[in-house]
Amino acid sequence: MKSQARKRSPKSPPSPPMLKARKRASKRSRDPVASRQALLDAAARLFNSVGYYGTDTNRIAIAAGYTPGTFYTHFEDKRAIFLEVYRGWVDDEINAFAEIFNSKEPGKRMRLARTLLKHHEDWKIFRASLKSLYFTDEVVRSARIEQRRKQMLRSAALRSPGKPERAPAQMLATMLIAEALADAIADGDAERLGVKRDDLFQILLKSI
């Protein structure tokens, strides 16, 4: 009898930028700061590969190299660590935009659009969980509103010298339109509807 070839496990999605930019804490570290970061890194990987409902606190702890009980010395529950990962996600996006905006290199608009799109692509499954929880969990909904407020304030602070201050409605509309376009490209909706990815990206570019 011929031996059957082993099936290859599906490739894991790419690690979010937040994880790549930080030095990983060693497993089973006794340093509480390193332990907390290891749990956050593990949670981000799992939330972005199997979704919020596809994992639990035990799995997060084990993935970080700790016993399940260690989780609760740092976080109250799964929602608490999810929100902490979300805050890191938003901070990474804001910091990336600020770095581009403050640079003296040309082509800032193109870099901003590409950065936004990559951020959405890298966090595709995490974002799906965030959207679902927004409609079913009041705590997550409040946290998302607060993070959006932070994004708007940072956006206002980054305006070019001499340019008039934009009204809150205009800032929010710009942000929501850009996010919706990035989602449609990242999730593949555009191509499924027969719209070329590059054509939609050009519209995203103009919206920023």
Side-chain angles (χ1 to χ4, degrees):
M1 179 183 295
K2 295 182 178 179
S3 60
Q4 294 182 343
R6 290 182 179 180
K7 293 183 178 180
R8 294 183 178 178
S9 58
K11 292 183 178 179
S12 300
S15 296
M18 179 180 69
L19 303 185
K20 295 177 181 178
R22 296 174 181 160
K23 184 178 180 180
R24 297 287 180 84
S26 60
K27 290 188 175 182
R28 299 183 184 86
S29 171
R30 293 183 181 276
D31 178 3
V33 176
S35 300
R36 179 183 174 85
Q37 187 59 54
L39 289 166
L40 282 168
D41 288 351
R45 291 194 300 273
L46 287 168
F47 289 144
N48 200 43
S49 58
V50 297
Y52 182 82
Y53 295 106
T55 190
D56 54 36
T57 58
N58 288 357
R59 187 174 174 185
I60 291 171
I62 293 171
Y66 296 97
T67 59
T70 303
F71 179 93
Y72 294 100
T73 65
H74 297 279
F75 300 98
E76 181 180 357
D77 51 25
K78 183 172 69 168
R79 181 175 64 188
I81 197 170
F82 180 86
L83 290 177
E84 192 65 27
V85 171
Y86 173 45
R87 293 184 188 100
W89 173 56
V90 172
D91 287 344
D92 281 348
E93 184 179 66
I94 289 175
N95 292 336
F97 288 169
E99 182 180 351
I100 294 171
F101 191 87
N102 293 327
S103 71
K104 296 182 179 180
E105 298 178 13
K108 290 182 182 180
R109 185 183 294 270
M110 175 65 75
R111 290 176 61 198
L112 287 169
R114 287 176 174 171
T115 298
L116 174 65
L117 180 55
K118 187 175 188 308
H119 201 60
H120 281 231
E121 289 175 332
D122 287 345
W123 289 82
K124 186 183 300 185
I125 298 176
F126 179 86
R127 289 186 301 99
S129 291
L130 178 64
K131 290 177 183 178
S132 174
L133 289 167
Y134 179 83
F135 293 106
T136 59
D137 190 308
E138 185 177 350
V139 174
V140 174
R141 183 162 55 251
S142 296
R144 192 178 189 194
I145 294 299
E146 185 59 33
Q147 292 303 307
R148 284 204 180 282
R149 184 174 290 111
K150 182 167 67 174
Q151 288 174 305
M152 290 175 66
L153 289 173
R154 286 297 299 273
S155 177
L158 290 175
R159 75 179 189 276
S160 299
K163 282 194 174 182
E165 184 175 348
R166 292 184 299 170
Q170 185 179 8
M171 284 192 294
L172 180 59
T174 299
M175 184 172 67
L176 294 177
I177 290 170
E179 287 183 359
L181 289 168
D183 279 346
I185 299 172
D187 296 341
D189 290 346
E191 293 180 344
R192 294 188 188 97
L193 291 169
V195 177
K196 292 182 179 179
R197 176 189 174 97
D198 289 344
D199 290 344
L200 202 60
F201 180 81
Q202 290 302 316
I203 298 175
L204 169 63
L205 185 62
K206 294 177 183 177
S207 72
I208 293 178

